Amino acid sequence: MKKEELTYTAAKEEIEKIVGLIDSEELDVDQLAKHVKRATYLVDYCKKKLTSTDEELQKVLEELSV
Amino acid sequence: MEQTIFSLLELNLNVKEAIRQNFDEAYWVRAETSDVRPHRNGHCFLEFIEKAQDGHSIVAKARGTIWASTFNLLKPYFEQETGQSFASGITVLVKVVVNFHESYGYGLNVVDIDPSYTLGEIARNRMLVLKQLEEDGVLELNKELPLAEPLNRIAVISSQTAAGYEDFHNQLENNSAGVIFYTKLFPAIMQGDRSEPSIIAALEEIFKYQSLFDAVVIIRGGGASSDLSCFDSFNLATNSAQFPLPIISGVGHERDVTVLDAVAHTRVKTPTAAAEFLINRAVETINHLMGLQDRLVHASRNILTIEERQLAAWSKDLYHTSKSVLQTNRNTLMFLGEKLRSVVKQKMEREHFAIKKYDHFVSLSSPEKMLKRGFSITTKNGKVIKSISNLSNEDVIKTQLSDGIIESKIVDKK
């Protein structure tokens, strides 16, 4: 079974949501820390998806007999 | 009986002469090219064919020759006008001279060509195919597919040997955005009449693994321009239009828009342009991400700055308020202190005054003063005498005056 994996699109949507929340200045400082932490994690996740090789995928493609 | 027997040569020469006499002009003929073989010496040899209405069986055939002197002009002219190479499988309008050679047989020698016919044929075919696709409701299907984000898993249909794929792959590998692309080549024949089934087979193969990819790129390139007619085929187009992954078509020439180009999600002119398209999207994705990150940093810094300012303001307030409270208290203390002092002073002064009065009174009443004023104190046996009743004649009394004591005897009392 494939575990529920965060997709790039979903991650980006969440980042946008958090940024919007922070922008609106409705967060108090405690929540701010929590949300910034989450958003930073998501940004890193997206960056990694783009710039570092998914070894598993690479392997699968190479092994495709065409 | 007499039979006229001809030698083969004689028969052929007769036929040759007959044809020469009866077909002494050049004729404009429309036909399909087949087996086009340019020769090293510059001549071009080919076959002209005509297919039946059903498009399958051949109903007429003729050998064709284009001499170098003609071909050197004809080929570039044709290719420039139509954007297609002079190759097999295209419908052309050529001006031919019929000849019959005693050894080589029947043949047509091409002296001119009208590229607009071919253009027209190409265009006409395209229109028909596009119309059919539209009627089938599939024309726009591939275009309507959304492009995944990130768009970096690419199935490539291209020639195994041509440099097109290599260049494409290298471009993606070394992109300035630092984005990782995953490409897989599904090789196919990209020109000639075997290309249509070959490309379709490649698409079917990709279909099996569609979950591994975000898009299909069909490219062809590097080097000789060749016949685009396979990309106008209905079969290929309908397969592509209905393909579940977006197709990026990079097979065309500068100006030609093949049917495949028309149904593909995105059309680019060259393999390089295809790579650029993908890289640009990746750059956009990264920029967007970076933008979000900036906003995140900015917005949270903003909030922290606001909180800092608030705290600073409060602490300043706190400082000033407490300073002021202290000051007020100090003032009050000082004031009270003053008041205390003044009250005490007043009281002391009153007391002093009171005491002074007593003092004065006391001092006025003091025995010394009294004595000095002439009063005296009389004592008898040490007791102070205040009344004459205590005294009788012959009593000895002491009388204290201011500067001494006298002793006296009473002689008379009144």
Side-chain angles (χ1 to χ4, degrees):
Chain A
M1 300 306 124
K2 199 150 164 243
K3 65 170 168 35
E4 174 77 39
E5 209 190 79
L6 184 64
T7 67
Y8 181 93
T9 314
K12 227 180 79 166
E13 272 172 17
E14 206 183 323
I15 298 171
E16 300 232 19
K17 204 179 79 175
I18 293 177
V19 172
L21 209 54
I22 296 178
D23 252 344
S24 72
E25 293 179 14
E26 280 176 21
L27 286 178
D28 63 44
V29 184
D30 292 317
Q31 292 184 310
L32 180 70
K34 195 176 75 169
H35 280 88
V36 169
K37 197 162 169 217
R38 173 75 178 160
T40 307
Y41 165 77
L42 291 170
V43 168
D44 270 343
Y45 175 84
C46 287
K47 260 203 231 170
K48 266 209 201 82
K49 261 209 159 209
L50 288 175
T51 57
S52 54
T53 311
D54 182 342
E55 300 292 346
E56 212 181 292
L57 176 61
Q58 191 89 287
K59 196 155 161 278
V60 169
L61 286 180
E62 270 162 31
E63 287 171 5
L64 271 190
S65 58
V66 177
Chain B
M1 74 223 103
E2 279 258 16
Q3 292 173 99
T4 320
I5 298 177
F6 295 95
S7 78
L8 181 58
L9 181 58
E10 283 169 338
L11 180 62
N12 281 2
L13 285 175
N14 278 327
V15 170
K16 183 176 175 180
E17 187 57 30
I19 288 178
R20 194 184 66 77
Q21 282 178 10
N22 288 297
F23 293 91
D24 59 353
E25 293 169 19
Y27 304 95
W28 282 102
V29 174
R30 58 179 158 82
E32 194 179 312
T33 60
S34 174
D35 199 21
V36 175
R37 291 158 278 131
H39 199 268
R40 268 179 302 134
N41 52 27
H43 307 314
C44 180
F45 303 105
L46 69 156
E47 282 233 315
F48 289 108
I49 56 176
E50 183 172 327
K51 291 201 179 124
Q53 284 283 55
D54 63 7
H56 293 305
S57 46
I58 295 175
V59 297
K61 212 175 359 177
R63 252 185 332 105
T65 53
I66 315 176
W67 300 127
S69 51
T70 309
F71 196 54
N72 287 336
L73 296 170
L74 182 145
K75 181 167 145 74
Y77 172 57
F78 179 79
E79 284 172 4
Q80 197 191 351
E81 290 297 303
T82 64
Q84 271 207 10
S85 72
F86 187 82
S88 304
I90 46 178
T91 317
V92 293
L93 179 61
V94 283
K95 196 171 186 190
V96 298
V97 170
V98 178
N99 58 54
F100 183 88
H101 191 271
E102 57 276 13
S103 291
Y104 306 125
Y106 175 73
L108 302 172
N109 185 44
V110 178
V111 295
D112 201 358
I113 192 165
D114 182 2
S116 62
Y117 178 79
T118 307
L119 263 180
E121 277 300 296
I122 294 170
R124 197 174 69 93
N125 280 331
R126 282 195 189 137
M127 291 312 312
L128 285 176
V129 171
L130 286 172
K131 188 148 163 277
Q132 186 60 52
L133 291 169
E134 196 179 4
E135 277 168 25
D136 293 347
V138 302
L139 188 60
E140 302 291 317
L141 286 181
N142 199 261
K143 288 194 172 45
E144 288 165 6
L145 292 174
L147 287 177
E149 189 178 22
L151 190 69
N152 61 351
R153 301 174 305 163
I154 315 291
V156 183
I157 298 181
S158 187
S159 157
Q160 180 96 55
T161 52
Y165 175 67
E166 277 307 306
D167 291 342
F168 177 77
H169 181 75
N170 285 337
Q171 243 184 300
L172 291 182
E173 191 123 301
N174 302 315
N175 75 85
S176 55
V179 172
I180 302 289
F181 285 94
Y182 309 88
T183 61
K184 177 78 184 173
L185 176 65
F186 291 80
I189 300 167
M190 303 303 286
Q191 59 222 37
D193 24 296
R194 287 179 301 156
S195 58
E196 182 189 316
S198 174
I199 297 174
I200 292 177
L203 279 174
E204 281 169 0
E205 194 63 17
I206 297 173
F207 181 82
K208 284 196 238 163
Y209 303 105
Q210 60 180 278
S211 62
L212 291 177
F213 299 103
D214 301 316
V216 177
V217 169
I218 303 182
I219 49 172
R220 183 178 83 151
S225 59
S226 19
D227 153 42
L228 291 171
S229 61
C230 58
F231 302 110
D232 286 331
S233 102
F234 175 79
N235 276 338
L236 178 57
T238 195
N239 267 288
S240 305
Q242 300 176 73
F243 201 71
L245 293 174
I247 293 181
I248 297 165
S249 158
V251 301
H253 287 210
E254 271 295 309
R255 63 177 200 197
D256 253 318
V257 180
T258 61
V259 175
L260 177 64
D261 289 328
V263 299
H265 183 286
T266 304
R267 181 220 171 201
V268 294
K269 292 182 181 167
T270 61
T272 304
E276 277 170 10
F277 172 77
L278 294 170
I279 293 172
N280 282 343
R281 279 198 73 87
V283 169
E284 263 173 40
T285 295
I286 287 209
N287 285 346
H288 194 195
L289 195 61
M290 291 299 104
L292 278 179
Q293 189 172 277
D294 279 347
R295 277 177 66 199
L296 184 68
V297 169
H298 204 74
S300 25
R301 234 184 237 152
N302 228 20
I303 291 207
L304 288 176
T305 305
I306 291 176
E307 291 298 316
E308 262 172 32
R309 289 219 189 104
Q310 181 71 281
L311 280 175
W314 282 340
S315 87
K316 202 162 163 218
D317 269 353
L318 192 67
Y319 174 74
H320 281 129
T321 306
S322 33
K323 205 168 162 205
S324 144
V325 165
L326 281 174
Q327 189 67 13
T328 306
N329 281 326
R330 212 175 278 139
N331 291 345
T332 306
L333 277 173
M334 263 172 53
F335 175 71
L336 285 177
E338 279 304 315
K339 193 133 186 247
L340 192 67
R341 252 194 297 279
S342 115
V343 162
V344 165
K345 192 165 163 216
Q346 279 176 17
K347 179 112 174 130
M348 296 300 280
E349 276 169 9
R350 275 204 302 275
E351 295 298 311
H352 267 274
F353 189 65
I355 290 185
K356 241 174 138 181
K357 270 183 57 186
Y358 289 135
D359 196 41
H360 194 227
F361 178 73
V362 163
S363 72
L364 280 180
S365 326
S366 83
E368 285 80 16
K369 283 259 168 68
M370 299 294 275
L371 291 177
K372 277 223 170 78
R373 288 166 84 195
F375 293 98
S376 57
I377 302 173
T378 309
T379 55
K380 182 177 135 176
N381 299 329
K383 266 179 72 184
V384 173
I385 303 292
K386 298 179 198 151
S387 159
I388 56 170
S389 58
N390 294 341
L391 294 173
S392 14
N393 288 356
E394 301 301 308
D395 273 347
V396 174
I397 52 171
K398 282 200 176 101
T399 308
Q400 184 174 7
L401 300 173
S402 67
D403 56 352
I405 300 175
I406 51 173
E407 217 175 282
S408 42
K409 220 182 236 179
I410 298 184
V411 292
D412 192 23
K413 68 172 189 182
K414 290 196 203 329

